[in-house]
Amino acid sequence: MAALSEEQSIIRDQAKAWAVEQAPVQAFRAVRDAHLPGAFEPKTWAAMAELGWTGIVIPEAYGGSDLGYLTFGLVLEELGRNLTAAPLFASALVGASALLLGGNEAQKRALLPEIAKGQAIVTLAVDEGPRHAPAATAMTAVAEAGGFRLDGEKTFVLEGMAATHLIVAARTAGRPGETAGITLFLVPADAAGIRRAPIGTMDSRGYATIRFDGVAVPADAVLGAVDGGFPLLDATMDRARAGLAAEMLGTAAAAFDLTLDYLKTRKQFGRVIGSFQALGHRAAALFSSLELARSCVEAALQALDDGAPDAAQLCSLAKARMGECLYDMSNDLIQIHGGIGMTDEFDAGLYLKRARVLEAAFGNRAFHRDRYARLLGY
Amino acid sequence: MNASVEQQAFRSDARDWLAANFPPALKDKSYRALADKDPALAADLEVWRSRLAGKGWGAPTWPAEYGGAGLGHPQAKVIQEEMEAIGAFNPIPTLAGMGVTMVGPTMLEYGTDDQKARHLRGMASGEVRWCLGLSEPNAGSDLASLGTKAEDKGDHFVVNGQKIWTSGADISQWCGALVRTDPAKPKRDGISFVLLPMDQPGVRTRPIPLISGASPFCETYFDDARADKADLLGELNDGWSVIKRLLQHERQSQTSAGRRKLDNEEPLQDLAKRYVGTDADGTLSDKDLRARLTDNLMAAKAHELTIARITAEARGQVKVSAAASILKNSATRVAQTKAELKMEIMGAQGVGWDGEAYEADELASVREWLFGKAASIYGGSFEVQYNIISKNILGLPETTQKG
């Protein structure tokens, strides 16, 4: 754990206590089995806004508390531990970040206070194919009288069914594969020509495919610069990547705690299985990986708060290292638990399924290894 | 003055002192270059050593009365950073062998006033080199089963036995040795830690060549060697507590991933671009190598960030803790993988042993790769560190049978 300020410690402790009492894994299981329309409990979401978490990265002038990304990460870690489902990450971190980084004054004033109140749910719609590839954006935005016309399809849109607003990456110039020519648009989710369909992901969260057929948006719907939206998109996604890594850290830590507890209690051949050296070493390796990944996650969040020049590198590092850690952790969670780990009744499977979806979101390990290498110039 | 202003003032003073006192001829030189006894540099090195020793900056956190400068860890870090900024280095821990890094810190905790007064200054000035007699041919990772005996002769012990892997024993003046003082007691309860001079008839050393060539490691034989009672560190038969502490200091000292950038060491990705080549878009042409290289660079960064995090959490005071085991293994893995990658990048130029066909740094990388295999063996093997993590940090039951 980073050397936290008093305020950060209070928020972390509050998040820890709240998640365990109000939104533990059993609560997520209930959400899963209830097939709720947004794939989260509205009262859970309302409670998060009540606690002020929706305004953590939003400046006070727009109704937030301006406590920064490291603080947000502390909350996400606790939610990740408990697999708590809510649009907090998608809207209060990713949506708010896009507006903070690229929004004009009118856009910020209109939406940031609504995000902070939990009234607006703003999400980012970027990917169009099965793998995260922002430069591959093919969706078109053609300039027409007074604005643009959007045509295309976005997939794997986080909280896509519950969203009130979408931040959409579309191509105003160039060809798929090029970073130049991409523009971001802020679009109300109920605009004419938008059709949304839920995707049934194995982690039972609220993803959607969103189809845009001749969606007309005014010129002032542009976020950032026309044709020059990629750096804004990338910077927004870096915040998303660091935030996801923080959530993954919590998920991995919980998976580790479950595993360690089992190693200390389960008996085979007349001894607790944790006394077998092969398993003791596995636990040591998993724990070491978790500690090393934690350093990367905290460094990435801190770099975002500091506006450090190597923030992009650190965000890719965090997502990649945390991806590897959670991958190993979730696999060993099942393996070490043996048969019981395979049952739906036990929580291990929920962690495993969530782990793979988190890995795919905003770039998997291969994506971030490649990006890290490019950022280092090779 | 508030803390940060004070720190800033200290930094500025340190910078001035270093600028005035560091011999420019030593800039960006590695200690290795100096150890090769470049005569032109030896005189400068001696000047630098004695100025550092006079300032107490060889072991800056030690009390001034014992040759240190009585500084806190944040200030010691400032000195380190300012040295690195001008291509300087602190040669004293290396000159003192195991003195500054391990024996000294342990003596500060367990030593008598008399021992501290007699021994610490020599370490802090880099004038007295220490080695450690721990491992034995029949007790490697199972240190507690050592057999070297120390017989009580009233005012002194008579020591008999053999040690192995005593790094630098052939050039050290003193040795800290773990010896059995009560064979009747269970393994760990009959061991003591004694300090003995190497320059005496009962001590013999023999260097051990390794797969990488010559090495600092030795075999050390004690035949009726003498250790004064006044040089028993800690209580009689309580050497196990002393050694546990000392080994924590050892792990701590082995947690940095590879040596720091000396002689303007070329970054691995640049080396790869040079040997392997790049595609039109500037990416390394061997994609599989590129991915594995990136993994290693990421692991190195994760390691570095973890040291920084643990330091920050401890608010500047790096405690000797169980985290050292995580860091030791992480450092080992990063360094060993890096050495393997370097050879792979060099291809046929990376397998040379001697002769004209190879550049000096190509030959050096082979020796470094081979010598680096020791890192996961010494100081408690990779597996022993995992035992420590699983037992001491995670609270899992003992994985090995007690003797």
Side-chain angles (χ1 to χ4, degrees):
Chain A
M1 190 60 55
L4 300 179
S5 69
E6 199 177 329
E7 194 158 32
Q8 287 170 325
S9 301
I10 291 169
I11 290 177
R12 184 202 51 199
D13 294 346
Q14 181 195 46
K16 194 183 275 294
W18 180 86
V20 168
E21 284 161 26
Q22 305 294 323
V25 183
Q26 300 93 289
F28 167 68
R29 191 179 277 282
V31 168
R32 178 192 76 163
D33 296 340
H35 301 288
L36 299 170
F40 62 87
E41 271 287 359
K43 70 171 171 29
T44 302
W45 175 227
M48 289 180 178
E50 192 78 13
L51 286 160
W53 296 345
T54 39
I56 288 177
V57 299
I58 295 174
E60 289 173 27
Y62 302 109
S65 55
D66 202 13
L67 291 169
Y69 289 93
L70 183 60
T71 306
F72 208 123
L74 298 172
V75 173
L76 287 171
E77 183 182 337
E78 297 308 322
L79 302 182
R81 268 181 195 278
N82 295 281
L83 302 177
T84 310
L88 184 73
F89 166 76
S91 183
L93 192 145
V94 189
S97 291
L99 284 160
L100 282 169
L101 292 168
N104 59 39
E105 193 50 38
Q107 288 165 332
K108 287 187 195 170
R109 214 172 310 154
L111 269 180
L112 287 174
E114 295 301 302
I115 293 177
K117 278 185 270 180
Q119 296 298 319
I121 296 176
V122 183
T123 191
L124 185 67
V126 52
D127 287 317
E128 299 177 12
R131 289 168 71 88
H132 178 65
T137 296
M139 176 165 167
T140 57
V142 178
E144 57 174 29
F148 296 84
R149 206 190 73 184
L150 307 181
D151 286 282
E153 188 172 276
K154 295 290 178 182
T155 188
F156 204 46
V157 179
L158 193 49
E159 315 298 347
M161 297 309 288
T164 58
H165 296 77
L166 308 167
I167 292 165
V168 186
R171 193 161 283 288
T172 39
R175 284 188 308 244
E178 295 172 358
T179 53
I182 290 173
T183 306
L184 297 192
F185 296 90
L186 177 61
V187 189
D190 58 1
I194 289 181
R195 273 185 300 141
R196 302 191 261 181
I199 308 174
T201 53
M202 65 182 170
D203 64 342
S204 309
R205 300 297 175 110
Y207 293 90
T209 295
I210 305 185
R211 175 95 213 143
F212 298 77
D213 287 312
V215 177
V217 296
D220 65 7
V222 171
L223 212 61
V226 173
D227 292 350
F230 191 82
L232 166 61
L233 179 61
D234 208 29
T236 301
M237 289 187 304
D238 268 338
R239 281 144 184 83
R241 287 154 181 157
L244 268 191
E247 184 178 338
M248 292 162 88
L249 177 63
T251 304
F256 182 72
D257 290 348
L258 279 173
T259 306
L260 187 61
D261 191 47
Y262 194 69
L263 287 171
K264 287 179 179 174
T265 49
R266 170 71 172 171
K267 284 190 175 163
Q268 292 271 275
F269 310 106
R271 303 166 65 185
V272 292
I273 61 174
S275 67
F276 302 133
Q277 196 176 45
L279 293 180
H281 284 194
R282 284 259 281 280
L286 292 171
F287 181 72
S288 301
S289 161
L290 189 63
E291 283 295 299
L292 289 156
R294 174 183 290 282
S295 314
C296 299
V297 173
E298 291 181 358
L301 294 163
Q302 188 68 60
L304 292 172
D305 284 335
D306 296 345
D310 60 347
Q313 253 164 270
L314 290 170
C315 288
S316 274
L317 176 74
K319 186 70 172 44
R321 292 285 301 190
M322 198 59 241
E324 182 179 345
C325 172
L326 183 53
Y327 178 89
D328 292 339
M329 203 67 89
S330 55
N331 282 344
D332 273 359
L333 171 63
I334 302 284
Q335 177 64 25
I336 290 174
H337 276 83
I340 188 175
M342 292 296 295
T343 63
D344 181 65
E345 189 189 351
F346 188 64
D347 292 337
L350 301 178
Y351 283 90
L352 177 70
K353 292 176 206 174
R354 182 67 177 150
R356 289 307 180 280
V357 180
L358 288 167
E359 163 72 358
F362 295 108
N364 62 14
R365 275 177 283 165
F367 179 92
H368 286 291
R369 242 197 320 259
D370 174 67
R371 185 165 180 260
Y372 192 80
R374 279 176 203 277
L375 289 169
L376 285 186
Y378 68 100
Chain B
M1 265 197 305
N2 70 38
S4 72
V5 170
E6 210 169 297
Q7 190 81 342
Q8 209 46 52
F10 180 79
R11 185 179 291 278
S12 150
D13 288 350
R15 191 172 298 168
D16 291 347
W17 189 86
L18 290 169
N21 290 280
F22 177 63
L26 298 180
K27 182 173 158 43
D28 291 334
K29 289 284 182 291
S30 66
Y31 186 80
R32 187 183 303 176
L34 300 165
D36 288 344
K37 308 264 187 293
D38 184 337
L41 297 176
D44 279 320
L45 177 63
E46 177 49 27
V47 166
W48 177 226
R49 184 207 62 74
S50 94
R51 285 178 183 168
L52 267 183
K55 187 82 174 161
W57 283 5
T61 59
W62 291 12
E65 58 175 319
Y66 300 131
L71 297 174
H73 286 271
Q75 290 166 312
K77 191 162 166 256
V78 166
I79 295 173
Q80 181 66 30
E81 286 166 359
E82 290 303 318
M83 280 195 195
E84 280 175 21
I86 60 162
F89 58 92
N90 176 4
I92 288 176
T94 312
L95 287 166
M98 308 295 170
V100 170
T101 49
M102 290 183 248
V103 181
T106 312
M107 191 178 284
L108 279 166
E109 259 180 83
Y110 286 88
T112 62
D113 288 346
D114 163 64
Q115 286 168 344
K116 293 181 200 172
R118 281 188 294 121
H119 293 300
L120 290 173
R121 280 188 166 273
M123 299 175 196
S125 69
E127 289 166 305
V128 179
R129 185 187 291 267
W130 285 72
C131 62
L132 279 174
L134 307 181
S135 297
E136 297 188 4
N138 295 314
S141 290
D142 184 14
L143 196 53
S145 56
L146 62 90
T148 295
K149 283 193 202 60
E151 221 180 316
D152 194 333
K153 295 285 182 187
D155 65 335
H156 69 280
F157 296 102
V158 168
V159 180
N160 279 288
Q162 186 197 344
K163 295 287 179 179
I164 195 167
W165 312 122
T166 39
S167 191
D170 52 339
I171 49 170
S172 292
Q173 287 82 49
W174 279 82
C175 178
L178 212 51
V179 293
R180 188 158 300 288
T181 34
D182 189 346
K185 288 198 166 132
K187 283 206 299 192
R188 289 179 185 179
D189 302 336
I191 292 173
S192 301
F193 195 92
V194 296
L195 316 171
L196 72 175
M198 296 295 279
D199 181 21
Q200 57 166 309
V203 178
R204 223 164 19 98
T205 63
R206 192 182 73 82
I208 308 170
L210 293 183
I211 52 177
S212 54
S215 88
F217 296 118
C218 296
E219 289 180 298
T220 302
Y221 301 89
F222 299 111
D223 298 305
D224 289 338
R226 180 191 163 104
D228 280 341
K229 274 278 181 68
D231 276 323
L232 176 68
L233 188 62
E235 300 294 317
L236 185 70
N237 292 328
D238 190 33
W240 198 251
S241 326
V242 180
I243 198 64
K244 271 204 302 194
R245 200 70 182 140
L246 187 134
L247 291 177
Q248 286 181 329
H249 287 293
E250 178 178 46
R251 281 193 292 282
Q252 194 86 22
S253 72
Q254 291 166 350
T255 53
S256 83
R259 60 201 171 87
R260 69 189 180 84
K261 290 192 186 75
L262 290 166
D263 294 330
N264 300 316
E265 189 191 12
E266 188 177 18
L268 209 50
Q269 65 269 33
D270 292 350
L271 188 83
K273 283 204 274 191
R274 200 150 60 74
Y275 277 87
V276 181
T278 53
D279 288 348
D281 66 347
T283 59
L284 208 61
S285 49
D286 181 339
K287 300 305 174 208
D288 180 66
L289 172 68
R290 179 173 180 263
R292 287 181 291 115
L293 170 59
T294 309
D295 262 342
N296 180 249
L297 293 177
M298 284 184 161
K301 187 74 184 174
H303 177 82
E304 181 192 309
L305 292 170
T306 303
I307 291 179
R309 175 167 69 88
I310 288 170
T311 310
E313 283 168 20
R315 310 250 178 215
Q317 167 80 52
V318 186
K319 283 191 309 225
V320 180
S321 70
S325 290
I326 295 175
L327 289 171
K328 196 221 165 204
N329 274 2
S330 150
T332 301
R333 189 166 273 176
V334 167
Q336 290 182 340
T337 307
K338 181 181 170 186
E340 296 281 4
L341 283 166
K342 211 166 169 181
M343 301 232 329
E344 181 182 341
I345 286 166
M346 290 176 169
Q349 291 303 110
V351 297
W353 188 250
D354 53 28
E356 301 287 303
Y358 305 99
E359 303 284 340
D361 55 340
E362 290 170 344
L363 292 174
S365 75
V366 175
R367 306 291 175 125
E368 208 171 311
W369 164 69
L370 285 165
F371 188 72
K373 295 294 173 203
S376 49
I377 300 169
Y378 62 56
S381 68
F382 198 88
E383 290 72 19
V384 163
Q385 303 303 332
Y386 270 0
N387 286 346
I388 291 171
I389 294 168
S390 71
K391 191 179 137 212
N392 295 359
I393 308 185
L394 303 179
L396 289 172
E398 185 93 49
T399 53
T400 49
Q401 298 295 319
K402 269 196 183 171

